[in-house]
Amino acid sequence: METEEYDFKKQQLLHTNKDCMHKNQTQNEYINNLFNKRFTIVNNECYTMPEPTTMFKDCLWTVDELQLIKNELNAIKNCLNNYDPDKWQLHTRIRNSAKDVMTRLKTYIQPELLTQAWCKFYEIVSSFPLIPMNYIHNNNKCFKSVHLCEAPGAFITSLNHWLKTNVPNIKWDWLAMTLNPYYEGNPASIMVDDDRFIRHTLNHWCFGEDNTGNLMNLKNLNELIKVAQPHCNIFLITADGSIDCTDVPAEQESVLIHLHFCETITALQLLATGGSFLLKIFTIFECNTICLIYLLSCCFSNVSVIKPATSKEGNSETYVVCTNFKGPTFISPYLEKLKEHYEYGPKQAIFSKHDIPYAFMEKIIQCSEFFKSHQCLVIVNNIVTFNSDESKMLQDTKQIQCMVADKYIKDYNVKKLETGEIVGNIIILGRTINTNQYKRSLQGSYNERCEKQQLAPLDRIESFCNDFNKIEIHVSSDEVIKYKFSEFPEDLQIRSGKVFHKIYNSKFCNKNALKILNGIDDILNKINLKIQFPSIESIENLKAKILCKPKHEILIFRYTDIYDGHEIITEIYDTLQKLEIGATLVLIGYSLFTHLSIELLYLISCAFNLLKITICNHVGLKITLHHYNYNPKILRFLNEIKAASFEAQKQEKAILEIISPSLFYKGCYLCYSADLNHWVIKTYIHYVLNIMKQNIN
């Protein structure tokens, strides 16, 4: 602890020295430095690849100088562990030197799908020869790019903007792979919520053989290669992948190494000679990150590391810019060996330490020190000013922010795109689903989250309950919501993919709410407490009320059952097969968390006069389908879905969707079901709390 305090005081001294230095610096010099956070690793030097037979032989090794830099950075980052993340983010956002860039672009340039990623990519593509014009002109001006881990798609729209305003005569096509936003088995921590652009450009997206979009699956890589390679030469690949590391902030690099390895191998497999690769990384402290950078330094004539001015100053995010690829012939002897470790990530050192030249290692140490120093100064500056209320300082910050935006627009010659949008802002910003309007972290500082892990099960669930209560729910007990659907798709679009039995993310639920739900289920599993919801008693009470009415049928599910799409399809199909005309069907415990379950409900509701959802205290939702009208087309569709589900089972897959997302989101108001799902989770949490308290008593 004393060491950490000493380090922090040392950094405060550096901060003070930095302020003195800035007094002697003009604002222009400060801003120029902001736009020049870059380090050249390779500039036409020739590094030699070790023989394939020598790769993956040694244990993971370390470099003492890099571990020292890592410890210094983590000591500073540890000072943030007690800060509320929402308040800290607000503070750093206000002080961000590039804060006005997006505002200026939005006002005067109006880019398509403008995000921070859009700004970063435009900055990089304007600063480096990322687009190899000579090779493209020799390829009949045809240019294809591939974008990995690309959701929501801002690199693509940024590239389009740059091409249309700088080289409009190029014939450009693109393909992207990202985690499938419509696959509910992917962990929420690695998902991007925004599918506005994806939904309207689905024919450009490849989600792989298993439809998860997980690049770290070798079969998905092979599917991407199959889809990408028949077209014109690929001269640019971008990889913007990341994983939420808020629970392990000190080991971000180690958590991400497998992803970076897969992104790199994919690029080397697909790129044409002369092509470019842009890879997001964070730090270069560990063995296999060093090895990956060395691999790229052998394969490309030029390699630089850059932190764009529009990248958040206090984080470790940087981009490796690789240009002039030496070609498939150069890398082909190594691909088979590299792909042996693709699926599970390299567990040993990619290269032996003695195979990496000392001069290269020195560059990596200098590079790491360069970016670490910049990051530490920013963090300390933000800590010192966190509780400060100096209006003069804020005025200086605002002036710098204005100057940074001016420089960005001028230096990168950003012009309004008059024609040639891929989708168009009007369409992208149209009817969308946003289940994460409430973006607060809900779970406090890093230290507070660690403390919660030590609580007793009941206390932890009560803590989850308190967190959940911060999410607004716009429905109330006994409320009735009515839907009337008469139109349904002319054809089905059945998609199958990897089986999942637990819902980790949903377009129809706030990710914080789902994280809380899964956290509670994890606690119950650890203490071996099995809870059925709705309860047997609640179901029996409802059955008695419903079945006493003429022509009423009831179909029972449970929210707490493992998710089984095939069972849902079969139950729905079998029930409608024997349902009398004019009958009313009531669904209890029917989940509205997945595309499949909502699409099935949407489909069958077209055979009834009315769909009514009642908000209930004890069962979550009661879904009532009034007056069944025999519809042979719907029955035929259900038969087709059931047959497809049996076929998928033979291939160890499951049905994921039955309606095209573009049609589904356009015609089905059930897709706005987040509040209903939040009510179900809230009701379930209170039910769990009551049972646990009863067990204790």
Side-chain angles (χ1 to χ4, degrees):
M1 184 66 186
E2 287 178 3
T3 305
E4 286 186 10
E5 287 178 2
Y6 170 77
D7 285 344
F8 180 58
K9 287 176 182 175
K10 183 173 72 173
Q11 291 297 329
Q12 283 184 301
L13 182 62
L14 287 172
H15 164 75
T16 306
N17 291 339
K18 172 174 165 275
D19 276 354
C20 293
M21 179 185 70
H22 282 165
K23 288 175 184 175
N24 298 321
Q25 249 187 355
T26 66
Q27 284 183 327
N28 282 332
E29 287 172 330
Y30 170 76
I31 290 164
N32 285 336
N33 288 336
L34 183 71
F35 280 86
N36 281 287
K37 290 181 183 176
R38 57 186 68 179
F39 192 97
T40 301
I41 303 288
V42 179
N43 186 16
N44 291 313
E45 294 97 335
C46 189
Y47 288 108
T48 305
M49 284 278 284
E51 289 296 316
T53 52
T54 67
M55 296 169 64
F56 302 100
K57 295 290 186 183
D58 286 4
C59 294
L60 297 173
W61 41 262
T62 59
V63 177
D64 291 342
E65 295 91 333
L66 291 175
Q67 291 302 304
L68 180 62
I69 296 170
K70 174 185 176 180
N71 291 338
E72 288 173 353
L73 175 60
N74 282 337
I76 296 298
K77 289 166 70 175
N78 286 343
C79 297
L80 305 179
N81 288 347
N82 283 315
Y83 285 83
D84 179 279
D86 302 310
K87 292 177 182 177
W88 179 256
Q89 285 172 19
L90 176 62
H91 173 63
T92 57
R93 190 161 56 244
I94 290 170
R95 292 186 51 78
N96 180 12
S97 299
K99 174 177 169 287
D100 285 356
V101 172
M102 276 185 62
T103 304
R104 193 79 60 85
L105 289 172
K106 186 176 182 180
T107 304
Y108 297 106
I109 308 299
Q110 297 170 352
E112 184 181 21
L113 194 63
L114 176 63
T115 67
Q116 201 161 22
W118 192 103
C119 301
K120 289 184 292 188
F121 182 83
Y122 207 92
E123 189 173 340
I124 295 168
V125 76
S126 301
S127 305
F128 290 88
L130 208 57
I131 314 301
M133 300 307 301
N134 290 339
Y135 287 94
I136 292 168
H137 280 293
N138 292 336
N139 193 50
N140 296 319
K141 297 184 179 178
C142 288
F143 165 46
K144 188 179 182 76
S145 61
V146 173
H147 305 272
L148 309 175
C149 306
E150 173 57 15
F155 272 23
I156 295 163
T157 58
S158 184
L159 174 58
N160 178 64
H161 199 110
W162 189 90
L163 291 171
K164 292 292 193 297
T165 54
N166 287 277
V167 282
N169 59 334
I170 282 180
K171 293 171 278 188
W172 173 56
D173 189 19
W174 60 272
L175 179 69
M177 175 176 266
T178 203
L179 289 169
N180 186 348
Y182 312 117
Y183 177 78
E184 290 88 5
N186 286 326
S189 62
I190 57 176
M191 295 294 292
V192 174
D193 303 311
D194 191 346
D195 72 324
R196 292 172 295 163
F197 179 72
I198 295 171
R199 194 187 310 165
H200 297 287
T201 54
L202 271 173
N203 59 324
H204 284 275
W205 295 82
C206 172
F207 297 126
E209 188 269 345
D210 65 2
N211 242 312
T212 64
N214 182 4
L215 181 68
M216 295 189 286
N217 181 321
L218 186 57
K219 289 182 178 179
N220 289 344
L221 167 63
N222 293 334
E223 180 72 13
L224 178 65
I225 292 167
K226 187 168 73 176
V227 173
Q229 284 191 331
H231 302 278
C232 59
N233 287 337
I234 297 165
F235 287 114
L236 172 65
I237 294 181
T238 68
D240 197 34
S242 187
I243 296 171
D244 183 0
C245 296
T246 51
D247 290 333
V248 281
E251 297 302 329
Q252 186 176 40
E253 182 180 332
S254 298
V255 170
L256 286 163
I257 186 60
H258 184 194
L259 174 61
H260 292 158
F261 180 78
C262 293
E263 289 172 322
T264 300
I265 304 316
T266 303
L268 297 177
Q269 174 86 57
L270 288 173
L271 269 178
T273 302
S276 303
F277 177 41
L278 179 64
L279 172 68
K280 177 160 79 177
I281 64 168
F282 290 86
T283 51
I284 316 174
F285 300 144
E286 309 298 346
C287 164
N288 276 334
T289 309
I290 300 166
C291 291
L292 279 184
I293 303 297
Y294 186 69
L295 174 63
L296 292 170
S297 298
C298 293
C299 294
F300 292 84
S301 299
N302 304 94
V303 177
S304 295
V305 181
I306 178 175
K307 184 169 184 64
T310 45
S311 173
K312 292 178 183 175
E313 296 170 277
N315 67 22
S316 300
E317 174 186 75
T318 57
Y319 287 86
V320 185
V321 185
C322 310
T323 57
N324 196 13
F325 179 50
K326 294 178 182 177
T329 306
F330 178 86
I331 194 60
S332 60
Y334 300 90
L335 281 176
E336 186 178 346
K337 189 70 177 175
L338 289 165
K339 286 167 79 172
E340 285 177 12
H341 301 267
Y342 190 93
E343 192 92 341
Y344 300 102
K347 305 303 179 191
Q348 294 171 294
I350 300 171
F351 301 124
S352 297
K353 192 174 184 179
H354 60 74
D355 282 333
I356 297 179
Y358 178 74
F360 178 86
M361 201 72 83
E362 275 199 318
K363 282 193 176 182
I364 294 297
I365 294 167
Q366 292 165 11
C367 178
S368 294
E369 176 62 38
F370 174 78
F371 287 108
K372 182 270 297 184
S373 297
H374 278 291
Q375 185 180 356
C376 286
L377 285 173
V378 170
I379 293 173
V380 172
N381 196 326
N382 284 330
I383 290 173
V384 171
T385 58
F386 184 74
N387 293 312
S388 173
D389 189 27
E390 295 182 29
S391 55
K392 173 66 170 65
M393 183 174 59
L394 284 174
Q395 188 59 41
D396 290 344
T397 300
K398 288 178 181 178
Q399 190 173 359
I400 286 172
Q401 289 167 344
C402 182
M403 294 171 70
V404 168
D406 288 340
K407 182 175 175 61
Y408 184 98
I409 301 287
K410 181 174 177 290
D411 285 10
Y412 303 134
N413 192 26
V414 192
K415 295 176 283 192
K416 191 170 183 176
L417 186 62
E418 301 298 337
T419 59
E421 288 182 321
I422 300 174
V423 173
N425 269 326
I426 293 174
I427 296 173
I428 288 178
L429 299 174
R431 189 166 178 258
T432 61
I433 298 170
N434 182 6
T435 59
N436 290 294
Q437 301 96 329
Y438 193 91
K439 294 186 178 180
R440 286 183 57 189
S441 61
L442 297 182
Q443 295 183 51
S445 69
Y446 174 74
N447 283 345
E448 287 171 338
R449 294 197 304 275
C450 290
E451 287 171 10
K452 286 181 182 179
Q453 295 295 319
Q454 307 306 317
L455 294 173
L458 178 59
D459 294 331
R460 284 190 66 195
I461 290 176
E462 285 183 330
S463 174
F464 275 131
C465 185
N466 292 334
D467 289 337
F468 191 87
N469 287 337
K470 297 172 187 175
I471 299 173
E472 291 182 14
I473 301 178
H474 302 103
V475 293
S476 54
S477 180
D478 298 326
E479 185 175 339
V480 177
I481 303 168
K482 296 179 181 180
Y483 302 89
K484 180 72 179 79
F485 302 113
S486 56
E487 297 181 10
F488 53 92
E490 287 299 314
D491 296 296
L492 296 175
Q493 186 173 312
I494 300 174
R495 291 177 183 269
S496 63
K498 183 179 178 181
V499 176
F500 66 93
H501 293 301
K502 192 175 181 68
I503 298 165
Y504 288 103
N505 78 88
S506 172
K507 295 295 295 176
F508 319 109
C509 181
N510 179 288
K511 69 161 60 175
N512 286 321
L514 201 52
K515 186 175 181 181
I516 289 169
L517 173 64
N518 285 325
I520 288 171
D521 286 343
D522 288 342
I523 294 170
L524 297 178
N525 286 333
K526 283 180 182 176
I527 63 175
N528 200 27
L529 178 59
K530 298 190 183 300
I531 290 181
Q532 292 185 331
F533 179 71
S535 67
I536 295 172
E537 182 184 2
S538 296
I539 288 173
E540 291 303 320
N541 288 339
L542 260 177
K543 281 173 73 174
K545 291 177 183 177
I546 291 167
L547 295 179
C548 68
K549 299 176 184 177
K551 283 194 167 184
H552 274 62
E553 297 289 336
I554 189 167
L555 188 52
I556 306 296
F557 299 92
R558 279 195 171 82
Y559 300 113
T560 45
D561 288 344
I562 64 165
Y563 179 77
D564 187 336
H566 181 74
E567 182 183 355
I568 295 169
I569 290 167
T570 304
E571 292 275 3
I572 293 288
Y573 173 84
D574 292 347
T575 301
L576 253 70
Q577 280 289 323
K578 59 188 179 185
L579 202 62
E580 292 181 46
I581 294 174
T584 292
L585 176 63
V586 180
L587 308 180
I588 302 299
Y590 186 82
S591 168
L592 296 179
F593 284 92
T594 70
H595 281 82
L596 175 64
S597 57
I598 294 181
E599 287 165 6
L600 272 172
L601 183 58
Y602 171 45
L603 186 67
I604 67 169
S605 67
C606 295
F608 291 82
N609 283 357
L610 179 67
L611 168 64
K612 188 169 73 176
I613 298 180
T614 307
I615 315 299
C616 301
N617 272 328
H618 301 294
V619 297
L621 304 175
K622 183 176 75 172
I623 301 173
T624 309
L625 295 139
H626 289 277
H627 195 95
Y628 175 61
N629 301 302
Y630 177 77
N631 189 313
K633 186 172 184 178
I634 289 175
L635 290 175
R636 190 177 77 247
F637 276 171
L638 287 173
N639 187 55
E640 189 179 332
I641 294 163
K642 185 179 179 184
S645 185
F646 274 111
E647 190 59 37
Q649 278 194 318
K650 293 178 186 176
Q651 301 171 34
E652 297 184 339
K653 291 184 177 181
I655 302 300
L656 305 176
E657 301 167 59
I658 57 175
I659 300 172
S660 163
S662 55
L663 292 173
F664 169 65
Y665 287 113
K666 184 179 178 182
C668 178
Y669 285 93
L670 280 168
C671 63
Y672 294 93
S673 59
D675 276 324
L676 301 177
N677 286 326
H678 297 160
W679 175 269
V680 170
I681 295 172
K682 178 183 175 181
T683 309
Y684 173 62
I685 293 173
H686 287 290
Y687 179 64
V688 169
L689 274 173
N690 285 334
I691 287 185
M692 291 192 71
K693 287 176 181 178
Q694 287 170 16
N695 287 350
I696 290 173
N697 295 332

